[in-house]
Amino acid sequence: GRTRNYLDGGVTYLSPYISRGVISTKQVLQSVLERGYKISQIESFVKELCWRDYFQRVSQVKDLNVEIKQAQTTISNYEIPSQILNATTGIQGIDNAIKQLYQSGYMHNHSRMYTASLVCNIAKSHWYQPAQWMYYHLLDGDWASNVCSWQWVAGANSHKKYYVNKYSHTNQVNTYLDKPYEVIETMETPIALLDTQKFDLTPELPETATIQFNPGTPTFIYNYYNLDPLWHKNESGNRILLIEPEFFLNYPVGKNCIDFMLALSKNIPDIQIYSGSFKSFLENYGAESIYYKEHPLNLGYTGNKEERDWIVEEVSGYYPSFFSYWKKVEKHLYKAF
């Protein structure tokens, strides 16, 4: 709680496994509680887990591809600054974070907000394509968490815009950001950020292999958001990793993310890869007893929809702020633990 906001602070690095559905926020919380901690001792950590659940609840209700609360204001372009793509913004903390993102698929949460602030509020780019760019590279890419955060920074999901603050621990001086907040809020876009361009979002997907399909058993559908190795583990059935080209065209990710997904899928015994739409899978194999986990991006799925694990299942629906969501969740947690 004391250090996680700083770029060199304490973080868990669990988010890629939560985002890919290998583990759930509920499992993480239960694991920590089993070690003897009380909610009051780890409240900051619990809130971070609940932020993930909160964003998912928002995505169940809202279309996140458009502004959640109000339009972003003062937009000069619908692209992304070239200096962001090249990690040459001149702001060391941000450039270093972008290089790390390209190399490892990781970016600290506050670096994400700093980058979004520079893009949306300093370079005045619309949030959507830059949000796609970041999602494309993140191993923990979660469309809901990513887009809700970009909109929050840009003022489309909050009552004001967010500007870079104190947590980067860099000693750089004499940059175009070395100004008081009230000046930054009204200044013209720096020359260093005026060049913009479209970002190439073409995904590289594996080709489908021949599926050995048993029509007499259930079919369990896995995808980019569900790679849970314990899901229906002790039941016989067809285990299919569904890689839908249309999904990845709408929500593209880079090769590192695809490779990460495929590596995680190897934790699931006998899983087979099918590259194609859910509809074409049904047509080709005539699957009837189908099971899948709920997710807002599972478009066109049919069959037996199962709920994901939630820290507090009873608290659902849309809350306009995390604070209002947390107050509901907090009551259940302190009562239960």
Side-chain angles (χ1 to χ4, degrees), residues 10 33 56 140 143 158 167 180 200 317 320 333 335:
L33 292 174
Q56 291 300 310
D140 72 355
W143 189 242
S158 58
Y167 295 109
D200 182 6
L333 287 176
K335 183 177 180 180

Side-chain angles (χ1 to χ4, degrees), residues 127-200:
W127 59 267
Y128 184 76
Q129 180 158 128
Q132 282 191 311
W133 159 77
M134 185 173 284
Y135 176 82
Y136 182 90
H137 291 287
L138 288 168
L139 291 188
D140 72 355
D142 178 285
W143 189 242
S145 295
N146 186 55
V147 170
C148 286
S149 296
W150 274 85
Q151 290 202 41
W152 185 83
V153 169
N157 186 30
S158 58
H159 66 281
K160 65 178 182 178
K161 297 183 178 185
Y162 172 87
Y163 288 87
V164 176
N165 64 11
K166 62 184 181 180
Y167 295 109
S168 62
H169 275 179
T170 61
N171 297 317
Q172 185 182 17
V173 296
N174 299 323
T175 73
Y176 50 80
L177 293 182
D178 288 335
K179 296 178 174 62
Y181 276 8
E182 57 270 19
V183 174
I184 290 178
E185 289 177 353
T186 58
M187 75 180 189
E188 296 294 321
T189 299
I191 295 175
L193 298 176
L194 286 176
D195 291 335
T196 64
Q197 64 187 81
K198 292 287 185 182
F199 173 60
D200 182 6

Side-chain angles (χ1 to χ4, degrees), residues 196-241:
T196 64
Q197 64 187 81
K198 292 287 185 182
F199 173 60
D200 182 6
L201 299 167
T202 305
E204 299 179 26
L205 304 179
E207 294 183 2
T208 191
T210 301
I211 300 294
Q212 302 298 318
F213 187 78
N214 185 349
T217 61
T219 297
F220 304 105
I221 298 294
Y222 300 79
N223 59 28
Y224 193 61
Y225 281 96
N226 174 26
L227 294 168
D228 181 357
L230 302 182
W231 185 53
H232 291 279
K233 178 181 179 180
N234 297 320
E235 299 177 39
S236 297
N238 305 292
R239 301 188 185 277
I240 306 298
L241 173 55

